[in-house]
Amino acid sequence: MNNNDNLAKIVAIEGMVLLKNEDNLLPIKDKTNIALFGSGARFTIKGGTGSGEVNVFHSVSIEEGLKNHGFIINSEYYLDECANKLNNEIKKRKKLMRKSTRGVNPFNYEVMFSIFAKFPEHYAIDRELTIEDYNKTISDTCIYVISRQAGEGFDRKNTKGDYYLTDIEEHNLKFVTEHYKNVIVIINAGAPIDTNFIDKYNIKSVVLYGQAGQSGGDALAELLLGESNFSGKLTLSWPKHLEDLNNFKYYSYLDGNDSIEEYKDGIYVGYRYYDSFGIKPMFPFGYGLSYTKFNINNDLYIENNEIIIKSNVKNIGNYKGKEVIQVYSRPINFDNKEFQSLIGFKKTKLLDINEEEELILNINLENLASYHEDIHSFVIDKGYYEICIGNSSDNLTPIKNLYIKEDIILDKHTIINDKPIEFDEIKPLIHEKFNDSLDIIEINSFNKINKEIEKEDINLDIVNNINDLDLCKMVVGRIAFKTYSSAGVVGEYPTTYNKYNIPIIYMADGPAGLRLAKEYYHYRNGMNKGVSVLPKEFIESKLFYAIVNKIMSFSLKKRRKLYTTAFPSALMQAQSFDLPLIYKIGEHVKNEMIKYNIDIWLAPGMNIIKNPLCGRTFEYYSEDPLISGLMASSLSNGVSSNNSNKTVCFKHFCCNNQENNRMKTTSNVSERALHEIYLRGFKIAILNGSSKAIMTSYNKLNGIYTNSNKNLLDGYLRNDLAFKGIIMTDWNDVAPDQAIGYEVINAGNDIIMIGGKNIYNDLYDALNNNKLDKDALKTSVARLANFAINLKNDKK
């Protein structure tokens, strides 16, 4: 096993979640006779589709991982049948894509991608099991794999075969529980599915495999055998019924209107909703089982504006294991706050049997604050806050009450939307009551640190000799099918920068790793080109694309191979609750960026998961902004470690919480919900991380495209948070009936990704007609140029 496989496997082990283990069915005691069913057993899905996918030559399936660890599979005939059906299903998918793209402009990438997203590469190759299958596989143990796929461009469907089980899966689960003594269900999906089948068929053991990257099969095998122990915790509540969610009524396409998304749930997203409205999810936020048990003793005191938690964690079970300490605040008797919110967490080391460890958590009191729209500031409101500690949001022990004697007003923020929202937000039903059995710590003072905002110092001298047309060219990025970077880079600075001796910056996609071409041609002049330059869906959908791809990728050169690491999805990474591990992922990707000449990694995705039907749920960390912000900051610090010249790009800023109609929809959000939920993760990541780039989202925010929102970009990002990096649009975001180029630059967005002659000519016309602010244009080019020079000069 190489280092790529090893770290990817470790992340998968830490991120998988044991959802149920009745009668201690796991670990598996006998691996010599296993019935393995479900289409995902052999055709395991390693990651989601779209820009979040990472191209690798091989990923370890569940079947392969089990065999690698000595499992004897007696149902290979069934898996072979599935394989034989696969080719026909692939042909069906290609036929559907060709039919759906008839009459569509082949140059409209966004429309094409949205069509492809309706047909994810998940094939119905399972069949109904019969008594003949049981007779062929007589065994005590059956493992059944349920797989789902989703991705960029289209939200999931609340139908059978997507969120719900197919009729065949229902039949098969009923069958295996009636015939096999021990049934283990593996969920190979990047987002929640309907899990009412667990109680319906009395499934004893359920594992959330997730989308576990290139080494997931080996990781699962180690966990099932007890060679490793489960320690993953959910960063996303799993609903018992989709209808339980308030936003189910209007999310994305569900209300028949995906053009306007009213965030009526306000701050009550995820567990904040469940807990504040007394609704029980199927699996709560922070939940995850282990083979062992822990005893936790806690102490709490206040020091220098911080809540100091000392947790002594002892392994009192029969297996080595890790535990995650989670700290929550419960505001007492407030009628406008969530029932509880996560304010801190930490994971233990691997504890041997009877071993203990003291964890110390330093939690800033600012985590208790709420946003007050009337004064545009976060405020720690006067009153009582019960601090609870445990290992999931529904398994907590109250420790002490904090009493804030007077309102503490924190930093003031730019008004992003000065118009009141035109809908009513929901109001909480459940509030924590005062517990007089707890000790009270009174906080009489707060040493507010007046943070000096260091103004951005932009050297404009670098643009003084650049003519106006070139200035316009320099704020329009491009995709190059031949590049001095690695084949498969998704974007780079335009070649105009070379004219002024400014380095070109190269960008790669893939939040689960670098998304580059697996095979490429290398030329004497140092340039590289992919063996296939267009996405395979394009090639399969239209003869036009197939011909264009052949012409563009033709070469007499010998093919070369490029190896990157496909880590588990971001959601799985977050389920590890292990910030040092996320830092290691960043370090690893940094080394690959150095090797393959990549400057900006377009990751991580930081959008809050509002609803499990979001097509890119797998690509985001959590429904909770603290988790999202801390995970992103750790990843960014890993990429920038040892003074490297590499950086991540936090995305998609902000409120890109649905995929349907993402280029046109408006996310209408109150200022309070915006600051407490949807901006907070970005704020945490910017203040604690080291990203030098941010990508705006496709959608509008309260009617204004995020990439054209001056209050959001120049106001909130650059002034309030003192962000000094570059800001880019999402790809193909400036187009007819979408964002307007000069408005994007005027608002503080530095580079339009991607574009060509039509866009920079439009900018030039706008400049000559006084629509494009020349100072804003020069500032953007200077920022981009200085960014490139500093990044390349910092290279070690």
Side-chain angles (χ1 to χ4, degrees), residues 371 376 411-416 450-458 653 675 683 686-687 694 709-725 727 747-748 783:
Y371 191 79
H376 318 297
D411 296 337
K412 190 170 185 176
H413 285 294
T414 298
I415 302 171
I416 296 171
N450 293 317
K451 300 169 185 173
E452 286 276 333
I453 298 294
E454 185 181 336
K455 295 297 181 182
E456 187 179 25
D457 183 18
I458 303 175
F653 188 76
H675 281 280
K683 179 180 181 180
I686 290 167
L687 297 182
I694 285 177
N709 192 321
K710 192 171 182 64
N711 289 343
L712 184 67
L713 306 184
D714 271 350
Y716 181 75
L717 272 184
R718 297 204 187 279
N719 184 63
D720 297 359
L721 303 187
F723 178 70
K724 298 179 181 62
I727 302 174
R783 193 180 282 127

Side-chain angles (χ1 to χ4, degrees), residues 521-684:
Y521 302 115
H522 181 71
Y523 296 87
R524 286 183 180 179
N525 64 357
M527 299 192 85
N528 299 298
K529 180 176 72 171
V531 168
S532 179
V533 297
L534 294 179
K536 64 179 180 180
E537 290 89 354
F538 281 64
I539 300 166
E540 294 167 354
S541 66
K542 283 184 178 292
L543 179 62
F544 168 81
Y545 279 131
I547 294 171
V548 169
N549 187 66
K550 279 192 175 182
I551 295 170
M552 294 177 71
S553 60
F554 176 77
S555 177
L556 297 176
K557 296 287 184 180
K558 183 180 178 180
R559 293 185 178 192
R560 298 188 181 192
K561 293 184 177 181
L562 187 154
Y563 297 90
T564 59
T565 307
F567 287 99
S569 68
L571 183 62
M572 273 198 74
Q573 293 174 29
Q575 287 171 181
S576 72
F577 273 77
D578 192 335
L579 296 176
L581 182 62
I582 305 304
Y583 183 92
K584 288 181 182 178
I585 296 173
E587 283 187 309
H588 184 96
V589 173
K590 172 197 70 179
N591 292 332
E592 291 186 353
M593 293 172 75
I594 292 170
K595 181 177 181 179
Y596 296 123
N597 190 23
I598 304 299
D599 301 300
I600 302 175
W601 180 28
L602 302 175
M606 295 182 58
N607 296 102
I608 295 297
I609 304 170
K610 272 175 64 72
N611 188 294
L613 294 182
C614 176
R616 296 175 91 169
T617 295
F618 70 96
E619 199 171 323
Y620 303 140
Y621 286 126
S622 180
E623 65 192 20
D624 183 81
L626 180 69
I627 293 280
S628 181
L630 292 179
M631 293 290 163
S633 61
S634 290
L635 188 76
S636 71
N637 291 335
V639 168
S640 300
S641 60
N642 297 323
N643 298 314
S644 82
N645 64 322
K646 307 303 177 185
T647 182
V648 301
C649 175
F650 296 148
K651 66 179 188 181
H652 310 87
F653 188 76
C654 61
C655 295
N656 181 186
N657 302 108
Q658 71 180 55
E659 286 300 294
N660 279 40
N661 198 27
R662 60 183 180 168
M663 309 288 269
K664 305 285 181 64
T665 190
T666 178
S667 299
N668 295 340
V669 195
S670 71
E671 286 279 290
R672 182 185 177 192
L674 187 61
H675 281 280
E676 288 191 27
I677 303 297
Y678 301 101
L679 294 180
R680 186 172 173 232
F682 287 98
K683 179 180 181 180
I684 291 169

Side-chain angles (χ1 to χ4, degrees), residues 114-235:
S114 67
I115 292 172
F116 302 149
K118 295 178 183 179
F119 309 104
E121 286 190 274
H122 173 59
Y123 301 106
I125 56 178
D126 207 353
R127 66 160 173 82
E128 288 190 356
L129 298 173
T130 67
I131 192 65
E132 185 178 345
D133 293 299
Y134 175 70
N135 291 335
K136 287 181 178 179
T137 62
I138 293 176
S139 169
D140 284 341
T141 302
C142 170
I143 298 176
Y144 192 88
V145 183
I146 300 172
S147 290
R148 293 291 186 271
Q149 181 59 295
E152 183 174 7
F154 208 73
D155 290 315
R156 297 171 60 207
K157 300 172 185 174
N158 59 330
T159 57
K160 293 179 180 180
D162 195 339
Y163 184 77
Y164 295 102
L165 299 187
T166 64
D167 291 338
I168 289 176
E169 288 168 335
E170 290 275 2
H171 167 88
N172 288 349
L173 288 174
K174 184 175 186 293
F175 179 87
V176 296
T177 52
E178 289 174 348
H179 290 84
Y180 295 90
K181 180 180 177 182
N182 303 317
V183 175
I184 302 158
V185 171
I186 310 297
I187 301 175
N188 169 213
I193 63 171
D194 178 45
T195 50
N196 284 287
F197 68 83
I198 297 173
D199 293 333
K200 183 177 180 181
Y201 302 115
N202 192 26
I203 307 293
K204 290 187 175 181
S205 185
V206 182
V207 174
L208 175 57
Y209 178 96
Q211 292 178 334
Q214 68 185 45
S215 301
D218 285 326
L220 178 67
E222 288 191 18
L223 288 165
L224 295 182
L225 288 171
E227 294 174 1
S228 297
N229 197 347
F230 289 94
S231 62
K233 306 281 186 177
L234 296 178
T235 59

Side-chain angles (χ1 to χ4, degrees), residues 365-408:
L365 283 168
E366 293 185 9
N367 283 293
L368 305 181
S370 300
Y371 191 79
H372 285 226
E373 293 185 359
D374 55 341
I375 59 173
H376 318 297
S377 302
F378 274 95
V379 178
I380 306 175
D381 293 300
K382 173 184 176 180
Y384 290 93
Y385 299 80
E386 182 179 277
I387 306 302
C388 304
I389 302 175
N391 62 3
S392 78
S393 62
D394 75 336
N395 185 32
L396 299 170
T397 300
I399 303 301
K400 287 183 180 179
N401 282 324
L402 302 183
Y403 177 60
I404 306 297
K405 191 172 181 181
E406 299 292 341
D407 287 350
I408 301 169

Side-chain angles (χ1 to χ4, degrees), residues 722-749:
F723 178 70
K724 298 179 181 62
I726 64 169
I727 302 174
M728 67 183 76
T729 70
D730 207 336
W731 267 232
N732 301 298
D733 207 0
V734 171
D737 298 323
Q738 291 172 206
I740 299 171
Y742 68 82
E743 291 183 351
V744 168
I745 303 302
N746 288 343
N749 216 313

Side-chain angles (χ1 to χ4, degrees), residues 413-431:
H413 285 294
T414 298
I415 302 171
I416 296 171
N417 178 38
D418 57 3
K419 298 177 183 178
I421 56 173
E422 297 179 353
F423 53 86
D424 293 327
E425 294 179 326
I426 58 176
K427 306 296 182 185
L429 301 176
I430 308 295
H431 310 284

Side-chain angles (χ1 to χ4, degrees), residues 228-512:
S228 297
N229 197 347
F230 289 94
S231 62
K233 306 281 186 177
L234 296 178
T235 59
L236 173 62
S237 307
W238 280 49
K240 191 171 181 64
H241 304 287
L242 269 180
E243 295 80 3
D244 289 341
L245 290 166
N246 175 270
N247 64 33
F248 173 78
K249 303 170 188 175
Y250 55 85
Y251 176 74
S252 187
Y253 61 87
L254 294 174
D255 62 354
N257 181 5
D258 59 13
S259 296
I260 299 174
E261 192 75 0
E262 294 181 335
Y263 285 44
K264 297 175 183 177
D265 42 6
I267 66 168
Y268 303 101
V269 177
Y271 70 90
R272 288 171 167 81
Y273 171 73
Y274 289 107
D275 297 341
S276 301
F277 288 83
I279 298 172
K280 189 173 179 60
M282 179 63 80
F283 298 109
F285 177 88
Y287 171 84
L289 302 176
S290 170
Y291 293 146
T292 193
K293 295 181 180 180
F294 300 92
N295 184 59
I296 303 171
N297 290 305
N298 303 292
D299 191 20
L300 181 158
Y301 58 94
I302 302 295
E303 186 177 280
N304 297 327
N305 294 348
E306 288 187 326
I307 304 168
I308 311 297
I309 305 288
K310 286 188 176 182
S311 288
N312 187 275
V313 185
K314 183 176 182 179
N315 183 352
I316 59 173
N318 298 315
Y319 293 88
K320 295 179 181 180
K322 299 179 180 181
E323 183 59 290
V324 176
I325 299 301
Q326 302 171 37
V327 184
Y328 293 77
S329 166
R330 291 177 177 171
I332 306 298
N333 293 325
F334 287 92
D335 61 3
N336 63 342
K337 293 182 186 288
E338 67 274 29
F339 176 76
Q340 63 182 8
S341 62
L342 182 73
I343 60 172
F345 62 88
K346 199 166 189 177
K347 194 169 193 175
T348 68
K349 65 180 183 179
L350 182 65
L351 297 177
D352 209 336
I353 299 168
N354 291 322
E355 186 179 6
E356 55 189 287
E357 179 183 12
E358 183 180 71
L359 297 180
I360 299 177
L361 290 80
N362 298 71
I363 301 169
N364 197 299
L365 283 168
E366 293 185 9
N367 283 293
L368 305 181
S370 300
Y371 191 79
H372 285 226
E373 293 185 359
D374 55 341
I375 59 173
H376 318 297
S377 302
F378 274 95
V379 178
I380 306 175
D381 293 300
K382 173 184 176 180
Y384 290 93
Y385 299 80
E386 182 179 277
I387 306 302
C388 304
I389 302 175
N391 62 3
S392 78
S393 62
D394 75 336
N395 185 32
L396 299 170
T397 300
I399 303 301
K400 287 183 180 179
N401 282 324
L402 302 183
Y403 177 60
I404 306 297
K405 191 172 181 181
E406 299 292 341
D407 287 350
I408 301 169
I409 300 175
L410 304 174
D411 296 337
K412 190 170 185 176
H413 285 294
T414 298
I415 302 171
I416 296 171
N417 178 38
D418 57 3
K419 298 177 183 178
I421 56 173
E422 297 179 353
F423 53 86
D424 293 327
E425 294 179 326
I426 58 176
K427 306 296 182 185
L429 301 176
I430 308 295
H431 310 284
E432 183 70 338
K433 293 180 171 56
F434 184 74
N435 184 346
D436 58 11
S437 68
L438 298 178
D439 291 340
I440 299 172
I441 299 178
E442 187 171 302
I443 300 173
N444 296 311
S445 62
F446 182 86
N447 299 321
K448 183 178 177 182
I449 301 172
N450 293 317
K451 300 169 185 173
E452 286 276 333
I453 298 294
E454 185 181 336
K455 295 297 181 182
E456 187 179 25
D457 183 18
I458 303 175
N459 178 13
L460 292 175
D461 293 342
I462 199 167
V463 300
N464 287 338
N465 296 320
I466 301 176
N467 66 63
D468 287 354
L469 180 59
D470 281 351
L471 286 173
C472 292
K473 289 180 178 180
M474 293 169 82
V475 293
V476 182
R478 68 177 194 139
I479 286 181
F481 296 110
K482 284 183 76 173
T483 177
Y484 286 104
S485 179
S486 293
V489 291
V490 73
E492 58 186 62
Y493 278 12
T495 54
T496 312
Y497 281 83
N498 287 332
K499 181 177 175 180
Y500 297 96
N501 296 315
I502 299 169
I504 300 293
I505 291 294
Y506 301 103
M507 311 171 196
D509 240 328

